[in-house]
């Protein structure tokens, strides 16, 4: 499909800009007009992490005139394996400021606007307004649906990307797009592809499952490639297509994504007519897990006290780590035994639990342990509890000598 350029060209390029972008200018498809469009473009990048890092760097190098950065987090050492816009000296600094400095070093001709705040229902319209295009580098489902819905209501196209371990996906969502002949492109939105979020705990985050660092560059660069095409009106952007990349097998696939007439947002009879409670819609944990954790959650401080009592022989319980073996190798709470969450899901873990001792469960942050707690309580372990905050809280509050991840 052929789409008109999203942005009108700027009046002119300076001599410095002509020198800097000469390799673009000699491409007939881009040329002077295309580069002027990039100069006049305003692109908002959500997140300065794994996908945001390469996206910001290549948008800046390409000469996008105004680049917005939405980021509230600080640089952690564990980020540096993939978030290449930050360096060792940036650890502990706000990611938005670190990214802004890197962009300025790549291209001082670009204007950078920092939105150092967490994206939510209260600020999303204010932040999005005024931008021509959005590049979504978020890593959680609640924010993805928020971005999709807000972009739809403001009629702003956006380029989406997702990464996990060795797999990446990318697409362009532009439901309001029209073709060059003025007809509707009948393009889908994110909800057409994923009408409902996966069940809580079903899809691990990158923090739980990991990601190959260089995969971020592969998908982030695809996002910028599509952004440039949409902004300048060249090529055939991935509107209505899902690009899937398997880095381990070095395979690329493209799937067609059609507009869903029953879509809750862009369908014929929409039920989502405004922003909703996205945390509730996606659910950090299932209702069963929330019910099980209510009144059965202990802090790491309480756990430390319980472990001392166990050493003294005044208390007995089994501390179960439900993470994966590779996570257990990185750090652990002393005295814990490893039984991965998958063993609870298939039922084999219950055979390993004693019936005469209290069961105390933990994971990295408390989500997986809450899910497994529901299974254990359902099996009759009424006094079972889980540790809120998991290993992250333990390392931060009790044993900072251990590495975080």
């Amino acid at each position: 499909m052929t789409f008109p350029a999203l942005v009108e060209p700027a009046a002119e390029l300076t001599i410095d800009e002509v020198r800097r972008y000469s390799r673009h200018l000699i491409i007939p498809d881009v040329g002077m007009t295309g580069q002027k469009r990039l100069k006049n473009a305003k692109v908002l990048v959500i997140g300065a992490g794994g996908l945001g890092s390469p996206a910001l760097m290549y948008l800046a190098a390409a000469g996008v005139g105004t680049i917005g950065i939405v980021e509230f987090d600080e640089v952690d050492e564990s980020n540096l394996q993939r978030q290449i816009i930050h360096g060792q000296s940036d650890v502990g600094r706000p990611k938005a400021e670190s990214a802004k400095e890197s962009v300025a070093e790549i291209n001082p001709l670009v204007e950078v606007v920092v939105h150092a705040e967490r994206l939510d229902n209260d600020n999303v319209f204010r932040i999005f307004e005024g931008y021509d295009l959005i590049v979504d580098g978020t890593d959680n489902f609640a924010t993805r649906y928020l971005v999709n819905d807000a972009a739809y209501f403001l009629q702003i196209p956006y380029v989406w990307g997702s990464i996990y371990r060795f797999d990446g996906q990318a697409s362009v969502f532009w439901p309001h797009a029209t073709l060059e002949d003025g007809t509707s492109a009948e393009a889908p939105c994110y909800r057409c592809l994923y009408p409902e979020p996966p069940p809580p705990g079903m899809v691990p985050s990158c923090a739980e499952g990991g990601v190959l660092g260089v995969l971020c560059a592969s998908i982030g660069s695809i996002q910028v490639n599509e952004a440039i095409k949409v902004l300048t009106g060249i090529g055939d952007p991935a509107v209505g297509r899902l690009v899937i990349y398997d880095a381990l097998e070095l395979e690329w696939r493209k799937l067609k994504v059609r507009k869903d007439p029953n879509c809750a947002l862009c369908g014929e009879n929409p039920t989502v007519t405004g922003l909703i409670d996205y945390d509730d819609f996606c659910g950090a944990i299932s209702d069963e897990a929330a019910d099980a954790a209510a009144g059965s959650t202990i802090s790491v401080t309480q756990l430390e006290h319980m472990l001392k009592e166990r050493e003294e022989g005044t208390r007995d319980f089994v501390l179960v780590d439900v993470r994966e073996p590779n996570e257990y190798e990185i750090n652990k709470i002393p005295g814990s035994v490893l039984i991965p969450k998958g063993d609870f899901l298939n039922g084999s873990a219950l055979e390993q639990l004693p019936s005469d001792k209290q069961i105390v469960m933990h994971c990295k942050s408390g989500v997986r342990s809450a899910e497994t707690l529901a299974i254990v309580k359902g099996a009759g372990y009424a006094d079972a509890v889980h540790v809120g905050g998991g290993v992250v809280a333990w390392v931060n509050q009790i044993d900072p000598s251990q590495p975080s991840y």
Side-chain angles (χ1 to χ4, degrees), residues 238-353:
V239 177
R241 287 179 294 169
L242 177 66
V243 179
I244 302 174
Y245 176 50
D246 181 343
L248 206 55
E249 299 298 330
L250 197 61
E251 291 182 349
W252 291 91
R253 291 186 296 149
K254 288 190 295 185
L255 302 178
K256 287 186 177 181
V257 181
R258 301 188 184 279
K259 183 182 180 69
D260 181 2
N262 298 315
C263 176
L265 181 71
C266 68
E268 297 173 359
N269 298 293
T271 56
V272 178
T273 57
L275 301 182
I276 64 174
D277 186 334
Y278 295 94
D279 289 329
D280 181 65
F281 176 64
C282 295
I285 59 176
S286 67
D287 292 340
E288 293 80 7
D291 290 341
S296 298
T297 301
I298 64 171
S299 68
V300 291
T301 303
Q302 290 174 292
L303 176 62
E304 182 185 32
H305 182 68
M306 291 172 62
L307 288 169
K308 288 179 180 178
E309 290 181 330
R310 190 171 72 172
E311 289 179 3
E312 296 167 353
T314 60
R315 186 167 193 157
D316 199 10
F317 63 92
V318 177
L319 178 60
V320 180
D321 188 330
V322 302
R323 297 177 298 162
E324 296 301 310
N326 56 317
E327 295 178 271
Y328 193 70
E329 292 178 2
I330 297 173
N331 55 24
K332 59 179 68 72
I333 298 178
S336 62
V337 296
L338 177 67
I339 306 179
K341 176 186 173 183
D343 290 352
F344 287 91
L345 294 176
N346 63 34
S348 63
L350 297 176
E351 301 173 0
Q352 305 175 52
L353 301 180

Side-chain angles (χ1 to χ4, degrees), residues 39-98:
K39 178 180 179 178
N40 208 29
K42 297 179 180 180
V43 176
L44 179 68
V45 178
I46 305 174
L51 292 176
S53 288
L56 286 165
M57 296 169 78
Y58 273 107
L59 287 169
V64 171
T66 301
I67 300 176
I69 305 174
V70 181
E71 180 60 76
F72 66 92
D73 204 0
E74 293 182 349
V75 180
D76 182 82
E77 195 167 12
S78 66
N79 301 149
L80 304 182
Q81 162 258 9
R82 64 202 177 280
Q83 300 179 18
I84 57 173
I85 203 167
H86 313 295
Q88 184 65 41
S89 62
D90 296 314
V91 172
R93 297 183 60 209
K95 284 185 180 180
E97 292 300 326
S98 169

Side-chain angles (χ1 to χ4, degrees), residues 326-387:
N326 56 317
E327 295 178 271
Y328 193 70
E329 292 178 2
I330 297 173
N331 55 24
K332 59 179 68 72
I333 298 178
S336 62
V337 296
L338 177 67
I339 306 179
K341 176 186 173 183
D343 290 352
F344 287 91
L345 294 176
N346 63 34
S348 63
L350 297 176
E351 301 173 0
Q352 305 175 52
L353 301 180
S355 59
D356 58 344
K357 296 180 182 180
Q358 182 184 24
I359 307 301
V360 180
M361 318 185 73
H362 78 83
C363 61
K364 179 179 180 179
S365 62
V367 175
R368 283 175 284 177
S369 60
E371 298 288 345
T372 52
L373 178 65
I375 296 173
V376 169
K377 280 184 172 291
Y381 293 85
D383 62 345
V385 297
H386 88 121
V387 183

Side-chain angles (χ1 to χ4, degrees), residues 100-347:
K100 179 180 180 179
E101 290 183 5
S102 296
V103 167
E105 182 66 22
I106 293 170
N107 189 349
L109 304 179
V110 169
E111 178 185 356
V112 180
V113 180
V114 170
H115 304 276
E117 51 191 311
R118 184 192 295 269
L119 199 67
D120 58 31
N121 288 29
D122 295 330
N123 61 23
V124 64
F125 287 142
R126 168 176 56 81
I127 291 175
F128 280 17
E129 284 179 333
Y131 287 98
D132 302 303
L133 179 74
I134 295 166
V135 175
D136 181 13
T138 56
D139 62 356
N140 66 87
F141 289 101
T143 309
R144 288 173 184 167
Y145 283 98
L146 169 62
V147 170
N148 178 75
D149 295 358
Y152 176 81
F153 292 131
L154 293 176
Q155 300 190 22
I156 302 174
Y158 77 99
V159 186
W160 168 78
S162 175
I163 49 176
Y164 177 69
R165 291 187 175 170
F166 299 100
D167 300 319
Q169 301 179 355
S171 188
V172 177
F173 295 111
W174 195 1
H176 298 286
T178 57
L179 303 175
E180 278 199 337
D181 61 8
T183 60
S184 173
E186 294 296 319
C189 75
Y190 180 77
R191 286 179 180 268
C192 295
L193 177 61
Y194 297 113
E196 300 285 342
M202 183 64 68
V203 180
S205 66
C206 289
E208 294 175 344
V211 61
L212 186 69
V214 71
L215 178 68
C216 303
S218 301
I219 300 302
S221 62
I222 288 295
Q223 288 182 279
V224 176
N225 183 73
E226 296 307 296
I228 291 174
K229 288 157 62 177
V230 171
L231 293 169
T232 60
I234 63 174
D236 185 9
V239 177
R241 287 179 294 169
L242 177 66
V243 179
I244 302 174
Y245 176 50
D246 181 343
L248 206 55
E249 299 298 330
L250 197 61
E251 291 182 349
W252 291 91
R253 291 186 296 149
K254 288 190 295 185
L255 302 178
K256 287 186 177 181
V257 181
R258 301 188 184 279
K259 183 182 180 69
D260 181 2
N262 298 315
C263 176
L265 181 71
C266 68
E268 297 173 359
N269 298 293
T271 56
V272 178
T273 57
L275 301 182
I276 64 174
D277 186 334
Y278 295 94
D279 289 329
D280 181 65
F281 176 64
C282 295
I285 59 176
S286 67
D287 292 340
E288 293 80 7
D291 290 341
S296 298
T297 301
I298 64 171
S299 68
V300 291
T301 303
Q302 290 174 292
L303 176 62
E304 182 185 32
H305 182 68
M306 291 172 62
L307 288 169
K308 288 179 180 178
E309 290 181 330
R310 190 171 72 172
E311 289 179 3
E312 296 167 353
T314 60
R315 186 167 193 157
D316 199 10
F317 63 92
V318 177
L319 178 60
V320 180
D321 188 330
V322 302
R323 297 177 298 162
E324 296 301 310
N326 56 317
E327 295 178 271
Y328 193 70
E329 292 178 2
I330 297 173
N331 55 24
K332 59 179 68 72
I333 298 178
S336 62
V337 296
L338 177 67
I339 306 179
K341 176 186 173 183
D343 290 352
F344 287 91
L345 294 176
N346 63 34

